[in-house]
Amino acid sequence: MTVTKEESGQEGADGDGGRSGAGDDYVPSQRRLDRERHKRARARRATAIGALSTLVTGVVLYLVVVNAPGWPRTKETFFDQKYAREAFPKVLEGLWLNVRLLLICGACVLVLGMLIAVARTLRGPVFFPLRVLAAAYTDFFRGLPLIINLMIVVLGVPALRLQGVTVDPVLLGGTALTLTYSAYVAEVFRAGIESVHPSQRAAARSLGLTNRQALRHVVLPQAVRRQVPPLLNDLVSLQKDTGLVSIGGAVDAVRAADIIVGRSLNYTPYIVAGLIFVALTIPMTRFTDWVTARMDRRRAQGGAL
């Protein structure tokens, strides 16, 4: 029995949407073409509606702000182009300190957080004191506000006048950031370690690996891959909080803006510093979203995380 091209297309339309056919003779059915055309039209309509609603919202907000009674004074105090041009190079110069703090403190946080997480997941009664100390560390520094931790370390350590202990506000501020964020990152790592099924560790032991080898080669690689998105989120938060080291006198982006504000009594440099931090944070945030979406797709497809 011979099946014509029209009949084959009709069968595809009634069955799997026009995918049936023989090799290069496949021709999409009219129903499939109409469906794809409808999807494209719906996507264009949704994009147009979204763009229009965004434009309308922006115009409404702009009109509300510029028509406010105090807008002229606010514009002069917070959006002065003269002070913006003066502040930009100095804030940008101070930002280099924030970037260095992010890189150094980020590396220290990852290492210390991993050690604390491993200590909390050690098995056996002999490790009980170590587990208690690790749990106390995470509970204390997660509960202690970062600004108070910074004040204690940056202002309290120099007051002790200890021999051989630095009084550099940058180093002390970085230490306070590392202490606080290590507690958060340790819990992220611990959650990742505990999310690995016990059968993975048992399979590694059955192959002759020791507990240490199973943790290093089997458990930790899976735990770290699963926790990449929350780790990146903590890194974004750390990048913003590096600006708090200015309370000790370190001249970073925030302190550079504060110096100009103290001299001019104009708050435009704060806006400049804030916009620079936002410009630095947005790419990291989008990268985190991309990594999260990629891992979700791989998980939905049954692939390795």
Side-chain angles (χ1 to χ4, degrees):
M1 177 180 179
T2 302
V3 180
T4 63
K5 187 178 298 184
E6 292 76 12
E7 292 172 344
S8 175
Q10 184 62 36
E11 290 177 359
D14 296 336
D16 59 358
R19 292 186 180 274
S20 61
D24 297 335
D25 295 335
Y26 165 70
V27 176
S29 66
Q30 186 61 39
R31 180 177 300 178
R32 178 184 178 88
L33 295 175
D34 293 341
R35 184 165 59 247
E36 292 178 351
R37 190 181 302 110
H38 174 70
K39 289 181 179 179
R40 289 193 298 268
R42 186 172 57 182
R44 288 193 298 268
R45 183 168 59 251
T47 301
I49 293 174
L52 180 61
S53 62
T54 302
L55 178 62
V56 171
T57 303
V59 170
V60 170
L61 291 176
Y62 173 79
L63 294 176
V64 170
V65 171
V66 298
N67 290 319
W71 168 244
R73 180 60 179 169
T74 301
K75 180 181 179 180
E76 179 184 353
T77 306
F78 287 90
F79 301 99
D80 191 298
Q81 295 185 5
K82 172 187 173 183
Y83 291 108
R85 287 192 297 268
E86 178 185 353
F88 182 77
K90 297 180 180 180
V91 171
L92 203 60
E93 181 180 354
L95 185 68
W96 174 233
L97 175 60
N98 298 101
V99 173
R100 284 182 291 168
L101 279 172
L102 171 64
L103 297 176
I104 297 174
C105 293
C108 295
V109 163
L110 291 176
V111 174
L112 183 57
M114 175 63 75
L115 292 177
I116 297 171
V118 171
R120 290 203 63 182
T121 56
L122 290 175
R123 301 179 179 181
V126 70
F127 296 113
F128 177 75
L130 194 58
R131 291 196 298 269
V132 171
L133 289 176
Y137 178 93
T138 56
D139 290 343
F140 179 78
F141 282 105
R142 290 174 70 198
L144 182 68
L146 176 58
I147 188 68
I148 295 179
N149 186 18
L150 280 162
M151 290 181 177
I152 292 174
V153 175
V154 175
L155 304 179
V157 172
L160 296 175
R161 299 182 181 180
L162 298 174
Q163 294 294 329
V165 178
T166 181
V167 294
D168 188 346
V170 176
L171 296 178
L172 294 176
T175 300
L177 290 172
T178 301
L179 291 174
T180 295
Y181 272 90
S182 294
Y184 288 99
V185 171
E187 287 300 285
V188 173
F189 279 133
R190 185 174 71 91
I193 293 172
E194 294 181 348
S195 69
V196 178
H197 199 274
S199 62
Q200 297 289 315
R201 192 188 297 264
R205 293 302 308 278
S206 68
L207 293 175
L209 274 67
T210 64
N211 278 326
R212 180 179 177 181
Q213 291 172 333
L215 179 65
R216 177 183 176 185
H217 298 290
V218 177
V219 177
L220 288 183
Q222 298 183 63
V224 172
R225 283 197 299 269
R226 294 180 180 185
Q227 299 304 103
V228 167
L231 288 175
L232 290 174
N233 283 326
D234 285 336
L235 188 64
V236 172
S237 298
L238 176 61
Q239 185 270 323
K240 295 182 295 183
D241 286 340
T242 55
L244 295 177
V245 299
S246 61
I247 66 173
V251 183
D252 68 329
V254 177
R255 182 60 178 168
D258 189 56
I259 293 173
I260 300 175
V261 170
R263 185 181 68 249
S264 64
L265 298 180
N266 187 284
Y267 299 103
T268 303
Y270 286 147
I271 301 299
V272 174
L275 292 177
I276 290 177
F277 271 100
V278 170
L280 186 63
T281 303
I282 287 178
M284 298 172 62
T285 306
R286 297 285 74 81
F287 177 71
T288 302
D289 294 341
W290 177 81
V291 171
T292 303
R294 180 173 178 268
M295 295 183 68
D296 290 342
R297 288 194 301 268
R298 296 185 66 177
R299 186 182 295 110
Q301 295 170 0
L305 296 178

